[in-house]
Amino acid sequence: MTDPNAIQPSELDQLPDRDPEETAEWQASLDAVAKAAGPHRAAYLMRRTLERAEGNGIALPKLLETDYVNTIPTAAEPGVPGDEEMESRITAWNRWNAAAMVSRGSKHGVGGHIATFASAAWLYETGFNHFFKGKEADGSGDQLYIQGHASPGIYARAFLDGRLTEAHLDNFRQEAGGNGLPSYPHPRRLPWLWEFPTVSMGLGPLSAIYQARFNRYLTARGIKDVSSSHVWAFLGDGEMDEPESTAALALASREGLDNLTFVINCNLQRLDGPVRANFKIVQELEAQFRGAGWNVVKTLWGTAWDELFQLDTTGALVRRLREVPDAQVQTYQTRDAAYIREDFFGKDPALVEMAKLLSDDKILECFHLSRGGHEARKVYAAYKAALGHKGAPTVILAQTVKGFTLGEGFASKNANHQMKKLTVDEFKKMRDLLELPISDSQFVDGQVPYGHPGADSPEVRYLQERRAALGGPAPARRTHALAPLPAPAEKAFASFDKGSGTQNVATTMAFVRLIKDLVRDKETGKRWVPIVPDEARTFGMESLFPSLGIYSPKGQTYEPVDRDQLMYYKEAKNGQILNEGITEAGSMADFIAASTAYSTHGEAMIPFYIFYSMFGWQRTADQMWQLGDQLGRGFLVGATAGRTTLTGEGLQHADGHSPVIAATNPAALTYDPAFAYEVATIVKDGLRRMYGEAAPGEDPNVFYYLTVYNEPLPQPAKPAGLGIDEGIVKGLYRFNTAESAGLSPVANAPRIQLLGSGTAIHWVIEAQKLLAEEWGIAADVWSATSWTELRRDALEADAALLRGEERVPYVRQALHGAEGPVLAVSDYMRQVPDQIAQWVDQDYSSLGADGFGLSDTREAARRHFGVDAQSIVVAALAQLARRGEVKATAVKEAREKYGL
């Protein structure tokens, strides 16, 4: 049996004790305190000693949790500059109008959220009055990630300062008429106000971290000094359950992002009930952030609690606060003083005695109303501490009451997230509580009125003066009048027109070669932002390491193991490459920050993010929507694309569907180029549209998704003739005919049109040859660079016809007069080429790689899916046989001949 008193191996220190006698004295002192004053006193002394050690820079493991009290005691709080009474009146007006806006909208069935802003009002107002820098401030001002459900409060403030009208508020969540307000922060819908879309839970915190990091990147590379910009992310405690919310905490602390502050509104409630019913979310988050290396500031209790803490001479109150689960705290919010006396204070004799000194009103004030997040003084102290802390990011855990000031029907109720309106009587009670000069007569026909003190009122003048002092309105998004970036030298693109000769080149390598030339451009080269999630060598990008460097705020503090090699691993403080490690989500957050720098910082950056195509849209498609909503620009590159090109990797790596997912995003221009010259042409046109001179009617706020392949194949020269570049960009052009391919079909031979995209074009070309030489069939080959753009053009043509305009879809124009049926082939599921079927006048059929992927050789995989050259031949014969242009027996003969 193990001796319980024996020293366990885990207790042994690896370092020898140089003074065992001194160590024994310390231990004896601790034992004496525990015996004389109790274990709670001993624990208190240990915590304070560890805190002192940390403050003195002594290297010790940090405490992951502190007491359930404010980090900044009342005595240490700085005074709030300005007029607190005036700020309280401004906040009251904003509370009222936020609630009125949602309640009025609920009559139209459009919904909205009241309770979130009610809990967080002071978190925003204190920042707007004293901390959040506008666009006219140094650098680019601050970047604000507003919690999505709090948007009514932000609209209410914009109404108060004259940026919105009553008509706007009455069109909350009613955008079809053109004068509405989007439900949540949506830059694409309200581009002068919102910078960052945040309502897709978890993406706000992730993006905020990478935005703060990208700010450092811009400064380090000498693009723009934005060192004075601060990123503020407002989050919900329930939102922190999303894995993206905490995915990059270590990055933020590792790189010392003290230009970043998270403000987590801990109202202890999520959509259906308590965030941590049987636990304490604040303590959990504190441990998580402190463990990740963040500075943590807890703002939990209001000033009404000061008297209780002064009475707590034994620590019983602090202990009780730590042990009460969150759901019970919510219950106290709704119960009377007698219940709180019995359930909270009655658990400890010391607390029973304390409660005798407290009136019922005092108990209710503390447990119903007094939270740190509801007092400007507490919030100001937390924000000031956050900005003053250097070397690490800060998280502020601010405790609030969800539905605060909305009345007993809302405060802390489990259902308040779904509650959309107050009754007239509830509004009148709220008016009286907030002391607003709104008369009963203003409630006409049961409609709650908006409130405004007047454009020239002291409140509005104060609000506008505070914003002017901080650099202008906030939040605000800028559309900078940037000069178009000069086009790179033509030779960077033209070099691909001649093909690769006898050399086999994968289109992934062609893209990387193009980028190598473009980043050398004297005018625009520095603006490229290469982003890769730890797969640079897979994509042949290691040659960029020594020439561009990998960004690291510490530079390179070690001697790289491959220092003697030409393509050694080079990190640098001004490095251009963002090599993120194994995180597609982090890489996408990088891309979003870089792709919107033209607006956020007035600096056009050209990001390209290259990734396994299977792990892009499938894994991070929600961030692609965020990218589109934020009006991002740049190039997403799905490498090792297709279902059959990545030999041996199998189902999980076999992408047969990313173009389908990409097609659902209106901001994504999806291309599946077959040849190197097509890649170059598409990139060239993308640079023109997004960063140069967009044509009339073209939206520059788009991003490109290119699929490229790792299969080395001959790269032909660009065909001669007019309209090739136009066809590449629009999505379809004739690559060759049977005659131009030198196949010399017999007179009146049956003819078929073969459409291929990406790597499938090579199987199509082989099938073209087999059809001519073995079956006497003439086939023309078309390169379909974008099935999705062809479809979108056709949809626009259909819409134009309904408006009475004559317009023919480009795909119909291109194929006009093409003889015979059409057979379309891709390395993706048939749904990809079938996007254009209804606009093709000829008989249409398709082949694709439907189903799950598998591990095998490329040839075997293509035979399995029925997309190899021989399968294409059989499908073409079958299509012609149905038309009576070849004998039906030819199909069976071909199957047997090719062993299908």
Side-chain angles (χ1 to χ4, degrees):
M1 182 177 293
T2 303
D3 181 359
N5 296 317
I7 296 177
Q8 302 301 312
S10 61
E11 297 177 25
L12 296 174
D13 199 321
Q14 293 293 321
L15 297 175
D17 191 341
R18 295 184 299 177
D19 193 341
E21 184 176 348
E22 182 183 34
T23 303
E25 290 176 357
W26 277 74
Q27 293 171 335
S29 296
L30 183 63
D31 292 343
V33 171
K35 183 177 181 180
H40 297 300
R41 177 60 180 171
Y44 175 85
L45 291 175
M46 287 298 297
R47 287 199 301 274
R48 292 297 174 263
T49 302
L50 286 172
E51 289 170 358
R52 174 60 63 88
E54 181 180 339
N56 289 337
I58 299 173
L60 284 172
K62 293 183 179 180
L63 288 170
L64 293 185
E65 286 187 35
T66 59
D67 287 329
Y68 201 67
V69 296
N70 295 348
T71 301
I72 304 170
T74 301
E77 292 170 358
V80 180
D83 187 334
E84 292 189 54
E85 174 58 32
M86 181 68 72
E87 292 175 18
S88 181
R89 293 206 300 273
I90 291 170
T91 304
W93 284 115
N94 292 338
R95 286 182 181 278
W96 176 270
N97 287 321
M101 178 194 327
V102 176
S103 288
R104 288 166 69 119
S106 68
K107 294 186 177 181
H108 303 287
V110 296
H113 299 284
I114 298 179
T116 295
F117 178 73
S119 68
W122 277 113
L123 302 180
Y124 291 107
E125 291 299 323
T126 303
F128 284 129
N129 287 327
H130 301 286
F131 292 96
F132 304 157
K133 295 190 290 291
K135 296 301 181 183
E136 302 303 325
D138 292 340
S140 304
D142 288 352
Q143 287 82 55
L144 308 180
Y145 288 75
I146 304 295
Q147 190 179 2
H149 293 146
S151 63
I154 308 305
Y155 291 140
R157 196 171 214 276
F159 169 65
L160 202 65
D161 73 7
R163 292 197 290 166
L164 293 176
T165 66
E166 285 193 14
H168 286 112
L169 301 193
D170 264 345
N171 282 292
F172 174 60
R173 290 193 170 195
Q174 299 173 74
E175 299 177 77
N179 195 34
L181 299 178
S183 52
Y184 304 122
H186 283 299
R188 188 169 285 276
R189 291 300 185 202
L190 201 62
W192 61 268
L193 180 70
W194 297 120
E195 276 194 288
F196 307 107
T198 55
V199 81
S200 191
M201 297 294 185
L203 298 190
L206 178 67
S207 292
I209 290 173
Y210 280 89
Q211 182 67 57
R213 198 279 199 94
F214 190 74
N215 290 357
R216 291 279 176 86
Y217 171 90
L218 283 180
T219 301
R221 290 197 51 223
I223 302 294
K224 183 178 182 180
D225 184 358
V226 293
S227 55
S228 61
S229 292
H230 199 85
V231 177
W232 300 83
F234 289 83
L235 319 168
D237 47 1
E239 180 180 7
M240 300 310 294
D241 282 345
E242 289 286 3
E244 295 89 350
S245 294
T246 55
L249 298 187
L251 167 72
S253 60
R254 183 170 66 245
E255 299 201 1
L257 298 181
D258 51 23
N259 61 337
L260 169 68
T261 297
F262 276 14
V263 181
I264 303 181
N265 178 17
C266 297
N267 56 37
L268 313 185
Q269 285 185 252
R270 53 190 180 197
L271 276 63
D272 288 332
V275 178
R276 292 291 182 272
N278 296 298
F279 306 94
K280 301 192 78 64
I281 186 59
V282 168
Q283 299 300 90
E284 179 182 319
L285 291 174
E286 178 184 29
Q288 195 168 14
F289 278 87
R290 287 175 70 89
W294 286 53
N295 176 46
V296 178
V297 177
K298 293 198 290 191
T299 302
L300 308 180
W301 308 110
T303 53
W305 283 82
D306 289 350
E307 180 182 344
L308 276 66
F309 289 126
Q310 290 169 3
L311 294 172
D312 184 29
T313 58
T314 65
L317 176 62
V318 172
R319 291 196 300 273
R320 181 66 178 140
L321 288 174
R322 289 193 66 178
E323 69 188 23
V324 176
D326 283 351
Q328 191 63 20
V329 173
Q330 298 295 81
T331 298
Y332 295 149
Q333 179 70 35
T334 63
R335 301 300 292 270
D336 59 21
Y339 177 89
I340 298 171
R341 285 182 186 277
E342 178 181 352
D343 191 85
F344 181 83
F345 292 97
K347 304 297 184 182
D348 187 295
L351 293 180
V352 171
E353 294 303 313
M354 179 190 294
K356 293 177 181 178
L357 303 175
L358 303 174
S359 68
D360 285 355
D361 287 345
K362 182 65 176 180
I363 289 175
L364 293 179
E365 179 187 14
C366 289
F367 283 84
H368 283 194
L369 303 174
S370 187
R371 300 292 186 271
H374 295 320
E375 296 188 14
R377 183 184 178 95
K378 304 291 185 185
V379 176
Y380 182 89
Y383 287 4
K384 191 171 181 62
L387 293 182
H389 187 84
K390 301 303 177 184
T394 294
V395 59
I396 296 169
L397 303 174
Q399 186 165 251
T400 66
V401 175
K402 193 166 187 177
F404 187 67
T405 72
L406 296 180
E408 295 179 358
F410 267 83
S412 293
K413 293 299 176 67
N414 282 339
N416 62 19
H417 193 81
Q418 280 73 34
M419 297 164 69
K420 313 299 182 186
K421 59 184 178 180
L422 283 73
T423 66
V424 169
D425 286 342
E426 287 172 330
F427 263 112
K428 289 179 179 179
K429 290 179 181 178
M430 181 183 177
R431 171 201 62 189
D432 296 340
L433 175 66
L434 298 176
E435 299 180 345
L436 291 173
I438 297 174
S439 66
D440 288 353
S441 63
Q442 291 177 258
F443 291 81
V444 180
D445 297 327
Q447 176 92 300
V448 57
Y450 294 120
H452 199 292
D456 196 39
S457 65
E459 291 93 335
V460 172
R461 288 201 305 270
Y462 182 88
L463 182 155
Q464 293 174 341
E465 288 168 2
R466 292 305 310 139
R467 290 311 314 157
L470 288 165
R477 180 181 179 274
R478 279 290 175 86
T479 302
H480 296 270
L482 299 178
L485 293 182
E490 181 62 28
K491 65 179 181 180
F493 306 102
S495 63
F496 292 88
D497 291 351
K498 61 184 179 181
S500 62
T502 59
Q503 182 184 9
N504 288 343
V505 177
T507 50
T508 297
M509 183 53 65
F511 176 81
V512 172
R513 288 183 182 178
L514 174 62
I515 293 300
K516 287 181 184 176
D517 291 337
L518 293 176
V519 296
R520 294 192 189 105
D521 186 85
K522 292 182 180 180
E523 295 289 338
T524 60
K526 68 178 182 179
R527 297 193 175 273
W528 284 89
V529 183
I531 303 168
V532 60
D534 201 38
E535 289 282 2
R537 297 182 191 279
T538 301
F539 307 136
M541 293 175 59
E542 64 269 29
S543 62
L544 297 178
F545 289 168
S547 58
L548 300 183
I550 300 167
Y551 170 73
S552 170
K554 289 184 175 294
Q556 194 154 36
T557 62
Y558 59 91
E559 188 175 25
V561 67
D562 55 359
R563 61 194 176 280
D564 298 327
Q565 298 178 18
L566 179 63
M567 293 182 287
Y568 69 97
Y569 195 81
K570 177 186 175 183
E571 296 188 79
K573 292 181 178 180
N574 62 346
Q576 193 164 350
I577 300 170
L578 292 173
N579 191 319
E580 290 305 342
I582 306 174
T583 168
E584 285 82 7
S587 299
M588 267 306 302
D590 262 338
F591 187 89
I592 292 169
S595 70
T596 53
Y598 74 92
S599 173
T600 308
H601 296 298
E603 295 288 344
M605 305 299 289
I606 313 171
F608 77 88
Y609 164 35
I610 188 167
F611 51 88
Y612 269 101
S613 66
M614 184 68 166
F615 304 141
W617 287 87
Q618 175 168 299
R619 182 168 288 183
T620 56
D622 197 16
Q623 288 178 282
M624 274 75 162
W625 276 99
Q626 180 188 12
L627 166 64
D629 199 5
Q630 202 167 315
L631 287 73
R633 305 170 183 174
F635 297 95
L636 297 178
V637 184
T640 59
R643 182 148 276 163
T644 70
T645 62
L646 193 57
T647 56
E649 294 286 359
L651 182 154
Q652 191 182 21
H653 288 66
D655 171 24
H657 52 276
S658 70
V660 177
I661 307 175
T664 65
N665 191 312
L669 277 61
T670 303
Y671 286 91
D672 186 26
F675 305 122
Y677 67 80
E678 292 178 355
V679 173
T681 301
I682 293 164
V683 171
K684 178 183 177 182
D685 192 70
L687 290 173
R688 175 200 61 80
R689 176 170 178 170
M690 296 185 291
Y691 301 97
E693 296 284 358
E698 276 187 331
D699 182 5
N701 299 316
V702 295
F703 60 93
Y704 284 63
Y705 175 52
L706 280 71
T707 49
V708 293
Y709 300 82
N710 70 328
E711 186 174 7
L713 291 164
Q715 296 297 327
K718 181 189 289 189
L722 298 174
I724 298 297
D725 285 1
E726 179 188 23
I728 292 171
V729 172
K730 288 192 172 183
L732 183 68
Y733 69 97
R734 181 152 38 197
F735 174 71
N736 70 21
T737 63
E739 292 76 10
S740 67
L743 297 175
S744 303
V746 299
N748 299 318
R751 187 173 290 270
I752 189 169
Q753 308 299 317
L754 301 179
L755 279 58
S757 68
T759 194
I761 199 80
H762 298 279
W763 324 328
V764 168
I765 292 171
E766 185 181 350
Q768 178 191 40
K769 184 177 180 182
L770 291 174
L771 283 166
E773 295 178 350
E774 299 183 5
W775 304 96
I777 306 298
D780 300 337
V781 173
W782 298 71
S783 181
T785 54
S786 180
W787 309 100
T788 302
E789 287 306 295
L790 291 174
R791 174 178 175 79
R792 288 176 176 170
D793 171 80
L795 290 172
E796 290 173 5
D798 286 355
L801 285 173
L802 293 176
R803 296 192 300 267
E805 303 171 17
E806 288 294 329
R807 181 173 166 187
V808 179
Y810 175 79
V811 64
R812 187 169 289 158
Q813 295 178 46
L815 291 172
H816 178 70
E819 184 182 346
V822 170
L823 176 60
V825 188
S826 84
D827 201 18
Y828 300 94
M829 56 197 301
R830 289 175 60 183
Q831 187 175 339
V832 174
D834 284 351
Q835 292 181 85
I836 67 169
Q838 73 184 80
W839 294 281
V840 176
D841 293 330
Q842 296 87 342
D843 291 342
Y844 187 88
S845 184
S846 65
L847 295 176
D850 285 79
F852 289 110
L854 75 166
S855 299
D856 214 311
T857 63
R858 293 185 178 114
E859 293 76 15
R862 287 160 189 167
R863 176 58 59 91
H864 169 81
F865 287 111
V867 293
D868 61 349
Q870 292 77 15
S871 298
I872 294 171
V873 169
V874 172
L877 290 172
Q879 201 169 359
L880 290 168
R882 287 193 296 270
R883 294 163 56 91
E885 297 183 29
V886 300
K887 294 180 179 180
T889 56
V891 181
K892 180 180 179 182
E893 183 182 346
R895 284 202 306 267
E896 294 174 350
K897 177 181 178 69
Y898 300 131
L900 298 179

